């Protein structure tokens, strides 16, 4: 979608503005918000997560103007996201937020205090300040009052380590704003244990996070479980209209809807289906996508403040949804749009996960069958990229080896499309046919795979002997064999001779169409090494550097 002008953006209703903001980068998002005539209302209509990850991507220090527009509730929720590491309050990070709030002006620091959990403020005081009641030490001649400072001549304060001016400023403003709260916080810091304060503060933070769609680990540990596709009923997931949630003092919860904003995907099957939906369908879908992302964040033990980690989780959710939607809609765009309109996202995610896990089950069954047939070292016989593909599928969350699709790639990634699933399914179905065919043609050695010996190497070696001597064997080639092989292949093409050799195998072994196509895949991949052989000087090359065929070391 084209980037709107600032004038056009300002003229849009808020829901349309929010949709446009999802489609631009964080810096442009900030510029559009700050230039809008309704910048305050627009900012406060965003979920805390959308605002938080926008600030994080720009950099907190460079987004103070945007932070100044945030509501106290948004600030509190962003602090919840950023200032906890599991069950520990990162007070240094919290103090950094307080400095930014003070820089943002307009009483933001005071607003934060009025909405913050008092346990958090007491915990800050207890960790950074020594607090003494002045009345208790006035008569002590050994007490050095010069080492302390005071805001009210009743409590003496001294930093336990490095001075934190922002904490001094907070307490000073608190004394002016609400002296009773000021004395209550200092007294509480004298009486309560740090562990008890942190536990209570964590309790309130976890309650708010749960309201925002961040479940406990126990609730999401099955999020990546396999579901039998034949038992999945979409009727259980028909979309229903949910009423807006409200809390005490009529505080309205703006649900998390940040996941779509974090995606750097513009042309997937899922995104295209979403684009075809009416605008009123998008809001619940954005929220469901965010809730699924939150579940994955918790299940993967990611830090909600880590933008890169949360983005990876959002992309993983997108990929599973894309796979599941393509499967259930049979790849039909119109059907995909209808399903998204009528059905919650959860079953598409489950289908996507289950399809990748079915590959894991497929390779495990393959391993069992080949080992039962005596091929205990079968993976060592596989060429690249087939070996890496099988290894990737066996990961806890199966991965797709990119080299299977793009020669030369060496990295694996989560499965991103149904086409990748189908490609690996086909490969895993072909691998046992390779072993069975080469065994029947007596090309496969018994026992463990010798170093450097793969199915492709065995096939190429047998092919080379057939071209040179019209024999079918896997004895290492001599230098003279290599010279003859080059001469004969240069008189025709590798592809033509390979096709003839494959036809020979199909005829002699009476192969089925499925077996022939499987062998064609192996032969095609192995043939790439034969092409390389044509470019060497067989008469002079050091035979140790020959790849793709077995060679006698002379």
């Amino acid at each position: 979608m084209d980037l709107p002008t600032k004038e056009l953006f300002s003229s849009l209703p808020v829901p349309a503005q929010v949709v446009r903001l999802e489609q631009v980068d964080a810096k442009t998002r900030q510029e559009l918000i700050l230039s809008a005539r309704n910048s305050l209302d627009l900012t406060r209509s965003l979920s805390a997560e959308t605002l938080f990850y926008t600030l994080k991507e720009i950099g907190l220090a460079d987004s103070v103007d945007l932070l100044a527009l945030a509501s106290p509730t948004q600030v509190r929720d962003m602090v919840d996201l950023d200032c906890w590491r599991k069950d520990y309050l990162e007070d240094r990070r919290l103090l950094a937020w307080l400095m930014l709030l003070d820089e943002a002006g307009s009483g933001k620091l005071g607003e934060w205090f009025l909405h913050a959990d008092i346990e958090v403020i007491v915990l800050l005081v207890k960790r950074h300040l020594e607090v003494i009641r002045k009345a208790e030490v006035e008569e002590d001649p050994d007490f050095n009052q010069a080492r302390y400072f005071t805001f009210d001549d009743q409590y003496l304060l001294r930093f336990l380590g490095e001075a934190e001016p922002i904490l001094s400023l907070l307490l000073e403003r608190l004394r002016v704003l609400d002296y009773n709260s000021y004395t209550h916080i200092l007294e509480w810091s004298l009486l309560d244990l740090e562990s008890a304060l942190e536990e209570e503060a964590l309790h309130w933070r976890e309650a708010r996070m749960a309201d925002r769609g961040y479940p406990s680990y126990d609730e999401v540990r099955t999020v990546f479980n396999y579901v039998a596709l034949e038992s999945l009923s979409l009727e259980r997931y028909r979309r229903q209209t949910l009423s807006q949630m409200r809390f005490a003092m009529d505080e309205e919860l703006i649900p998390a809807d940040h996941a779509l904003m974090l995606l750097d995907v513009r042309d997937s099957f899922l995104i295209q289906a979403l684009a075809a939906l009416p605008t009123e369908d998008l809001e619940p879908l954005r929220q469901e996508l965010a809730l699924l992302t939150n579940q994955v964040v918790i299940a993967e033990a990611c830090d909600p403040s880590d933008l890169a980690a949360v983005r990876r989780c959002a992309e993983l959710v997108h990929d599973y949804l894309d796979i599941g939607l393509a499967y259930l809609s049979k790849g039909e765009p119109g059907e995909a749009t209808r399903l998204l309109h009528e059905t919650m996202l959860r079953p598409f995610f489950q289908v996507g996960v289950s399809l990748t896990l079915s590959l894991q089950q497929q390779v495990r069954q393959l391993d069992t069958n080949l080992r039962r047939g005596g091929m205990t070292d079968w993976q060592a016989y596989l060429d690249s990229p087939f070996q890496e593909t099988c290894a990737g599928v066996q990961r806890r969350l199966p991965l797709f080896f990119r080299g299977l699709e793009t020669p030369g790639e060496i990295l694996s990634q989560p499965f991103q499309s149904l086409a990748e699933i189908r490609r690996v399914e086909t490969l895993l179905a072909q691998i046992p046919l390779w072993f069975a065919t080469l065994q029947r043609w007596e090309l496969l050695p018994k026992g463990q795979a010798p170093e450097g010996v793969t199915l492709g190497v065995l096939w190429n070696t047998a092919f080379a002997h057939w071209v040179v001597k019209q024999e079918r064997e896997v004895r290492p080639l001599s230098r003279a064999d290599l010279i003859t092989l080059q001469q004969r292949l240069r008189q025709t093409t590798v592809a033509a001779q390979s096709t003839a050799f494959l036809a020979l195998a199909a005829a002699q072994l009476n192969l089925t169409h499925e077996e022939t196509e499987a062998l064609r895949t192996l032969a095609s991949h192995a043939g790439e090494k034969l092409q390389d052989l044509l470019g060497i000087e067989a008469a002079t090359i050091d035979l140790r550097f020959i790849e793709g065929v077995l060679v006698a070391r002379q």
Side-chain angles (χ1 to χ4, degrees):
M1 188 175 292
D2 294 335
L3 182 66
T5 63
K6 293 179 180 179
E7 293 74 17
L8 174 61
F9 181 79
S10 288
S11 68
L12 296 173
V14 170
Q17 288 178 320
V18 172
V19 172
R20 289 298 185 103
L21 291 176
E22 289 176 345
Q23 300 163 350
V24 297
D25 61 79
K27 186 176 180 181
T28 304
R29 194 176 306 131
Q30 177 178 240
E31 291 174 354
L32 287 173
I33 293 172
L34 295 178
S35 67
R37 291 187 291 270
N38 61 336
S39 59
L40 182 65
D41 291 339
L42 175 57
T43 302
R44 297 188 176 189
S45 71
L46 301 176
S47 68
E49 288 81 2
T50 295
L51 185 56
F52 173 67
Y53 293 120
T54 299
L55 299 177
K56 290 284 282 189
E57 188 164 353
I58 298 169
L60 294 177
D62 296 323
S63 51
V64 174
D65 290 343
L66 185 55
L67 177 60
L69 300 175
S71 71
T73 302
Q74 286 174 317
V75 171
R76 181 198 64 197
D77 292 343
M78 289 191 290
V79 168
D80 281 343
L81 288 167
D82 201 36
C83 295
W84 288 85
R85 293 298 170 271
K86 296 185 178 178
D87 57 355
Y88 178 75
L89 177 67
E90 287 273 7
D91 47 282
R92 292 290 178 186
R93 186 165 290 197
L94 177 54
L95 291 170
W97 270 90
L98 298 185
M99 286 189 281
L100 290 170
L101 290 172
D102 182 56
E103 186 179 346
S106 302
K108 302 298 288 186
L109 199 57
E111 283 182 354
W112 173 80
F113 163 74
L114 293 174
H115 288 77
D117 301 322
I118 194 168
E119 293 87 352
V120 169
I121 303 171
V122 176
L123 192 56
L124 277 180
V125 171
K126 195 167 186 69
R127 284 182 179 175
H128 292 275
L129 287 166
E130 178 187 2
V131 179
I132 295 177
R133 300 182 188 95
K134 185 178 179 181
E136 294 179 355
V137 297
E138 280 183 321
E139 304 300 326
D140 185 352
D142 296 325
F143 183 77
N144 185 4
Q145 188 171 328
R147 298 169 58 197
Y148 294 78
F149 61 94
T150 181
F151 294 122
D152 63 349
D153 210 34
Q154 299 297 317
Y155 293 92
L156 302 177
L157 310 174
R158 179 172 69 92
F159 281 102
L160 297 173
E162 182 180 348
E164 298 292 348
I166 190 63
L167 185 53
S168 298
L169 180 62
L170 175 65
L171 290 174
E172 185 177 13
R173 290 185 181 176
L174 177 56
R175 179 187 63 82
V176 175
L177 183 67
D178 186 346
Y179 185 70
N180 285 336
S181 294
Y182 172 80
T183 59
H184 179 63
I185 287 169
L186 295 184
E187 284 292 334
W188 197 350
S189 73
L190 289 168
L191 299 174
D192 252 22
L193 294 173
E194 181 178 322
S195 58
L197 289 166
E198 191 164 44
E199 184 177 348
E200 188 66 16
L202 178 64
H203 167 77
W204 294 118
R205 183 254 187 180
E206 287 183 338
R208 287 191 296 270
M209 293 288 283
D211 289 339
R212 300 202 58 74
Y214 293 86
S216 67
Y217 177 75
D218 286 340
E219 295 176 278
V220 298
R221 60 184 176 180
T222 61
V223 70
F224 293 117
N225 279 11
Y226 176 82
V227 175
L229 301 185
E230 61 274 12
S231 67
L232 188 68
S233 171
L234 295 185
E235 289 297 325
R236 293 176 52 201
Y237 297 95
R238 289 298 178 190
R239 190 175 302 286
Q240 298 177 351
T241 302
L242 300 178
S243 59
Q244 187 67 277
M245 295 181 65
R246 291 182 179 273
F247 297 95
M249 300 177 65
D250 205 35
E251 179 183 310
E252 182 178 308
L253 173 68
I254 301 176
D257 59 358
H258 55 288
L260 199 57
M261 174 193 75
L262 295 177
L263 294 176
D264 189 21
V265 181
R266 291 291 175 263
D267 59 353
S268 69
F269 187 73
L270 172 64
I271 296 299
Q272 291 174 8
L274 288 173
L277 286 169
T279 304
E280 58 269 20
D281 280 5
L282 291 179
E283 183 175 356
L285 283 167
R286 289 202 308 268
Q287 294 170 13
E288 288 178 47
L289 184 58
L291 290 175
L292 280 172
T293 298
N294 292 346
Q295 292 176 14
V296 171
V297 166
I298 301 301
E300 292 293 279
C302 293
D303 182 351
S305 72
D306 186 339
L307 174 60
V310 174
R311 176 171 278 132
R312 285 194 298 271
C313 291
E315 291 169 349
L316 187 63
V317 170
H318 164 274
D319 295 341
Y320 284 136
L321 288 173
D322 189 84
I323 292 168
L325 182 63
Y327 177 85
L328 290 173
S329 68
K330 297 181 172 57
E332 293 292 333
E335 176 65 6
T337 301
R338 184 190 70 80
L339 287 172
L340 288 177
H341 174 72
E342 297 178 354
T343 314
M344 299 172 67
L345 293 182
R346 181 74 184 188
F348 306 121
F349 179 83
Q350 291 177 311
V351 169
V353 169
S354 299
L355 286 172
T356 64
L357 292 177
S358 68
L359 298 177
Q360 196 176 76
Q361 295 174 359
Q362 190 177 350
V363 80
R364 287 173 180 169
Q365 187 61 50
L366 170 62
D367 179 72
T368 298
N369 294 341
L370 288 176
R371 286 179 180 278
R372 188 180 295 134
M375 293 304 304
T376 58
D377 202 25
W378 65 272
Q379 289 195 62
Y381 273 111
L382 296 181
D383 298 88
S384 178
F386 310 129
Q387 186 176 117
E388 294 89 342
T389 297
C390 288
V393 167
Q394 295 177 78
R395 298 282 292 273
R396 180 180 67 85
L397 295 182
L399 299 178
F400 176 72
F401 181 63
R402 291 163 57 182
L404 185 65
E405 190 171 60
T406 307
E409 286 281 1
I410 61 173
L411 299 178
S412 296
Q413 65 185 24
F415 281 85
Q416 296 182 338
S417 68
L418 185 60
E420 293 175 350
I421 297 280
R422 297 305 189 206
R423 185 163 191 155
V424 175
E425 280 179 345
T426 300
L427 172 64
L428 295 179
Q430 290 180 336
I431 287 175
L433 301 180
W434 296 346
F435 282 97
T437 303
L438 266 62
Q439 281 179 326
R440 288 168 58 193
W441 226 17
E442 299 180 346
L443 300 181
L444 194 64
K446 295 182 180 180
Q448 290 191 332
E451 184 178 357
V453 176
T454 65
L455 298 183
V457 167
L458 294 172
W459 177 265
N460 281 347
T461 303
F463 169 77
H465 279 293
W466 178 75
V467 171
V468 173
K469 302 175 182 177
Q470 291 297 298
E471 297 176 352
R472 189 195 72 246
E473 59 179 332
V474 290
R475 176 177 51 82
L477 299 166
S478 66
R479 188 183 297 275
D481 291 335
L482 288 175
I483 294 173
T484 304
L485 176 66
Q486 284 186 330
Q487 292 171 346
R488 294 190 177 175
L489 288 180
R490 285 168 180 165
Q491 294 171 1
T492 176
T493 64
V494 172
Q497 291 286 51
S498 181
T499 299
F501 189 58
L502 179 62
L504 175 68
Q508 290 189 355
L509 297 175
N510 194 25
L511 298 180
T512 65
H513 175 73
E514 183 183 13
E515 290 170 329
T516 302
E517 290 306 305
L519 204 54
R520 191 185 311 279
T521 299
L522 177 65
S524 175
H525 175 76
E528 297 172 9
K529 293 292 186 182
L530 292 175
Q531 284 293 156
D532 295 340
L533 279 178
L534 296 180
I536 66 172
E537 290 292 337
T540 58
I541 191 173
D542 188 333
L543 296 180
R544 293 175 299 173
F545 300 121
I546 297 292
E547 294 181 347
V549 294
L550 295 177
V551 178
R553 308 302 185 197
Q554 297 175 347

